[in-house]
Amino acid sequence: MERLRIATRKSPLALWQTEHVARRLREAHPGLEVALVPLSTRGDEVLDRSLAAIGGKGLFLKELEVAMQRGEADCAVHSLKDVPMTLEPGFALAAILARGDPADAFVSSRFEALDALPHGARVGTSSLRRQALLRARRPDLELRDLRGNVNTRLARLDGGEYDAIVLACAGLQRLGLEARIRARLDPPDWLPAPAQGAIAIETRDGDAATHRLLAPLNDATTRRCVEAERAMNRALHGSCHVPVAAFAREGGSGLELLGLVGSAGDGRLVRVEVSGHDPDALGREAARGLFAQGAGELLGLLDLPAPGAIPG
Ligand SMILES: NCc1[nH]cc(CCC(=O)O)c1CC(=O)O
């Protein structure tokens, strides 16, 4: 009997996503034996420092890729928004599943929406993108760090450390916690992280047998949308640890891509909207439009002194 071993992180969300992939694979290939290989990654272990501070790049992938290289696993399941814009050489995304809910969620027990929060309310998120969007809409809020898996973050909200937190709708829905969503934070005003809500399966480049097994799980429309979002972020030299947001959908005139770059410090935002047919070209066009509006300075890529810092 044919067998496929899937490497996965051990958080409840990662395990749900990998079980979901395993179910889909058993449906697509009756008789296929699918086994999970749960592993711990550096991203799961280091919780006391921000992800950006400990390097960010591929923090949730490395140990899973090592297992594939050693022949201990055939593929690995990831939240695509946590996958670096450029994969390690020798690896490929063999399938990207149909996207779940891409939106962010406002979560609070006492307040029903972001605009209902009182002046100075404490909001928890360590995402620079979410911080920038919050600052832009509500400069009065007190933003506080909040890391850990979805259940940990909810427990800290319930413990009273925050008045509200922001999480991904997809994660809450997958964990059966949809009732915690008090309000959706939807496009076009509020944009998700590039590829939020999409699950990807990574495998070794040359592993044709695994590619063949995974191919039926790929969703072509989702892949085009997330390719455009990730191409924009790549052209901005971004990772999942920069204040960058993007959301694409397939519309009447091809792909429509909304993008923004913000500043977690002061809530400045620049936005772009482009449409076209080639995901990669569209992503690069969006990045050019954002750079033209000063995105480089917001991302700290150019060493332009802030206006107030220029000596008189
Ligand atoms: N950063 C962690 C992470 N990575 C993927 C998801 C949610 C699921 C998804 O976007 O597919 C989450 C949790 C969150 O942001 O609330």
Side-chain angles (χ1 to χ4, degrees), residues 9 13 17 51 60 78-82 100-102 104 129-130 148-150 153 166-172 174 195-199:
R9 292 168 51 207
L13 178 59
Q17 293 180 164
L51 290 175
F60 292 112
H78 308 294
S79 290
L80 186 52
K81 84 162 170 179
D82 297 326
D101 192 332
D104 271 343
R129 172 186 61 86
R130 288 171 178 152
N149 68 41
V150 174
R153 295 188 216 185
V166 180
L167 291 170
C169 286
L172 290 167
R174 288 169 186 156
Q196 184 160 307
I199 297 171

